[in-house]
C-alpha cells in the first residue's frame, strides 16, 4: 500500500527520505523502522505520523543530511541489539543489515610521476555517493556525472615517501570496492559562492531506469526530488512499489503516476537496486 507521512513542520525532507528507505525491500522489517513500515502497508486509509526516533527536529534539513542521519541511526540500533546481555559470551561483531544493504568503501591511490611509487589511502565507508553537477543550459547524463566523480586528479604538489621530496603532476585515482545491493546517488545541486551564500544548480540530469554502473546492473526504484531554490524549497519522493506501479509521495498526498521522467532538473537523490549478482 502507498500511504503518506504527515508533515510535522518543515519535515518534507525527512518524509521523502523515510519513504524511499521504507520501500527498500530488505529494510521493510527492521527494528523501530518496522512500526512505520507496518503502518504504510496496513493503513491505506490515512496518513502516518512517524515516531520521534525516525524524525529529526523542527528545522528543515537537507534530504541528503537526513538520509545519512537515518541510516546511521538504524545502523546503531542494530549494533545495540547485537550486544549480548552481561555474562554472556561476546559474539564476533557482524555488519548490521544497514551496512550490508547500503555500505561500500572508496579509497584513493596516488602514483608518483618520478619513481612510479603507489600510495593508497585508508578505505572510507559510504552509504551514498555525491556526484558533481555542473551548471549548463544543456541536459547532462548521469553517466557523465559519474565520470566526473571518478576522473583522475592531477595534484600540483605531493610528497612521495619513496623519493622523499615533493613531486608535481602526481595522479590520484579513486577506486570503489564491490558495490552495495542498493546504490544511493546524490546529485550535488547546492554550492557555496565566494560570499558563503548557498545556490542551487538547476541543470537537467538524464538518468536511466536500468543502468550498468561499474559493470553491475542496477534498476531505479526511487528518487527524491527538490523543487524551488536553496532558500524556499520542497521535497517529494517518487517510488516504484512491489506491484510494479509508480507513486508520487508529497507528504500526506500520495498519487499513482505513469512513471517518473528520466530527465529532470528536480531529481536530487536516486535509489538503485542491484539486479545482477
Amino acid at each position: 500500500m502507498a500511504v503518506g507521512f504527515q508533515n510535522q513542520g518543515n519535515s518534507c525532507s525527512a518524509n521523502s527520505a523515510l519513504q524511499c528507505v521504507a520501500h527498500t525491500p530488505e529494510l521493510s522489517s527492521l527494528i523501530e523502522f518496522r512500526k512505520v513500515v507496518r503502518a504504510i502497508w496496513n493503513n491505506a486509509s490515512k496518513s502516518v505520523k512517524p515516531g520521534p526516533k525516525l524524525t529529526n527536529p523542527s528545522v528543515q534539513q537537507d534530504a541528503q543530511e537526513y538520509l545519512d542521519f537515518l541510516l546511521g541511526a538504524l545502523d546503531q540500533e542494530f549494533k545495540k541489539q547485537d550486544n549480548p546481555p552481561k555474562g554472556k559470551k561476546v559474539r564476533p561483531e557482524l555488519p548490521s543489515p544497514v551496512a550490508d544493504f547500503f555500505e561500500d568503501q572508496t579509497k584513493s591511490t596516488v602514483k608518483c610521476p618520478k619513481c612510479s611509487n603507489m600510495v593508497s589511502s585508508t578505505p572510507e565507508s559510504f552509504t551514498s555517493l555525491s556526484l558533481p553537477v555542473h551548471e549548463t543550459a544543456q541536459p547532462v547524463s548521469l553517466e557523465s556525472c559519474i565520470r566526473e566523480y571518478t576522473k583522475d586528479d592531477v595534484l600540483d604538489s605531493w610528497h612521495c615517501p619513496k623519493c622523499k621530496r615533493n613531486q608535481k603532476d602526481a595522479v590520484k585515482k579513486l577506486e570503489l570496492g564491490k558495490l552495495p545491493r542498493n546504490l544511493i546517488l546524490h546529485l550535488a545541486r547546492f554550492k557555496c559562492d565566494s560570499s558563503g551564500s548557498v545556490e542551487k544548480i538547476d541543470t537537467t540530469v538524464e538518468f536511466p531506469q536500468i543502468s550498468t554502473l561499474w559493470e553491475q546492473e542496477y534498476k531505479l526504484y526511487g528518487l527524491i526530488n527538490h523543487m524551488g531554490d536553496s532558500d524556499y524549497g520542497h521535497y517529494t519522493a517518487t517510488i516504484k512499489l512491489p506491484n510494479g506501479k509508480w507513486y508520487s509521495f508529497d507528504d500526506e498526498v500520495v498519487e499513482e503516476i505513469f512513471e517518473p521522467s528520466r530527465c529532470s532538473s528536480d531529481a536530487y537523490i536516486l535509489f538503485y537496486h542491484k539486479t545482477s549478482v
Side-chain angles (χ1 to χ4, degrees), residues 38-86:
R38 187 179 295 131
I40 291 174
W41 271 274
N42 295 338
N43 208 349
S45 62
K46 60 182 181 180
S47 59
V48 177
K49 182 178 180 180
K53 289 187 179 180
L54 295 175
T55 54
N56 231 9
S58 56
V59 199
Q60 179 170 314
Q61 290 181 284
D62 176 75
Q64 172 65 12
E65 293 175 351
Y66 180 79
L67 185 61
D68 285 345
F69 159 79
L70 174 62
L71 294 177
L74 289 172
D75 185 59
Q76 290 303 312
E77 285 291 334
F78 269 104
K79 288 176 180 176
K80 279 186 201 173
Q81 287 198 349
D82 205 40
N83 288 337
K86 289 184 179 180

Side-chain angles (χ1 to χ4, degrees), residues 189-201:
R189 290 192 176 276
F190 297 101
K191 67 171 186 176
C192 287
D193 61 19
S194 57
S195 67
S197 299
V198 178
E199 296 180 353
K200 183 182 176 184
I201 300 171

Side-chain angles (χ1 to χ4, degrees), residues 1 41 56 78 90 92 137 141 171 230 233 236:
M1 295 294 182
W41 271 274
N56 231 9
F78 269 104
V90 177
S141 67
V171 177
S230 58
T236 65

Side-chain angles (χ1 to χ4, degrees), residues 17-234:
L18 280 166
Q19 289 287 8
C20 288
V21 175
H23 287 90
T24 299
E26 296 95 336
L27 290 181
S28 63
S29 62
L30 302 189
I31 48 166
E32 182 71 17
F33 210 76
R34 182 169 53 236
K35 298 176 184 177
V36 175
V37 175
R38 187 179 295 131
I40 291 174
W41 271 274
N42 295 338
N43 208 349
S45 62
K46 60 182 181 180
S47 59
V48 177
K49 182 178 180 180
K53 289 187 179 180
L54 295 175
T55 54
N56 231 9
S58 56
V59 199
Q60 179 170 314
Q61 290 181 284
D62 176 75
Q64 172 65 12
E65 293 175 351
Y66 180 79
L67 185 61
D68 285 345
F69 159 79
L70 174 62
L71 294 177
L74 289 172
D75 185 59
Q76 290 303 312
E77 285 291 334
F78 269 104
K79 288 176 180 176
K80 279 186 201 173
Q81 287 198 349
D82 205 40
N83 288 337
K86 289 184 179 180
K88 295 287 185 179
K89 186 177 180 180
V90 177
R91 296 171 293 176
E93 186 173 336
L94 298 174
S96 78
V98 173
D100 188 33
F101 300 151
F102 290 101
E103 192 173 282
D104 196 8
Q105 293 183 329
T106 62
K107 70 175 182 177
S108 59
T109 302
V110 181
K111 182 178 180 180
C112 178
K114 185 74 173 177
C115 68
S116 298
N117 180 42
M118 304 279 285
V119 177
S120 297
S121 68
T122 302
E124 295 183 6
S125 298
F126 71 87
T127 52
S128 65
L129 292 177
S130 289
L131 307 179
V133 179
H134 291 304
E135 289 185 279
T136 172
Q138 300 299 319
V140 300
S141 67
L142 177 64
E143 288 78 8
S144 70
C145 296
I146 291 174
R147 285 195 300 270
E148 182 69 18
Y149 175 79
T150 57
K151 74 177 183 180
D152 292 351
D153 188 13
V154 180
L155 305 178
D156 293 333
S157 179
W158 177 74
H159 183 80
C160 176
K162 186 175 181 181
C163 295
K164 305 297 183 183
R165 61 188 301 178
N166 289 337
Q167 300 288 355
K168 292 183 178 180
D169 300 328
V171 177
K172 182 179 179 180
K173 292 180 178 289
L174 180 71
E175 299 177 2
L176 281 78
K178 183 180 178 181
L179 291 172
R181 299 187 216 179
N182 300 290
L183 182 62
I184 303 174
L185 300 177
H186 165 232
L187 301 176
R189 290 192 176 276
F190 297 101
K191 67 171 186 176
C192 287
D193 61 19
S194 57
S195 67
S197 299
V198 178
E199 296 180 353
K200 183 182 176 184
I201 300 171
D202 288 316
T203 301
T204 297
V205 177
E206 298 173 336
F207 51 94
Q209 181 174 359
I210 299 177
S211 182
T212 301
L213 305 172
W214 296 282
E215 301 182 353
Q216 302 287 331
E217 185 179 271
Y218 280 88
K219 191 169 185 178
L220 185 74
Y221 72 91
L223 62 148
I224 294 175
N225 312 286
H226 180 273
M227 286 78 72
D229 57 27
S230 58
D231 294 321
Y232 300 97
H234 181 61

Side-chain angles (χ1 to χ4, degrees), residues 232-243:
Y232 300 97
H234 181 61
Y235 292 93
T236 65
T238 308
I239 301 168
K240 189 175 186 179
L241 267 58
N243 62 8

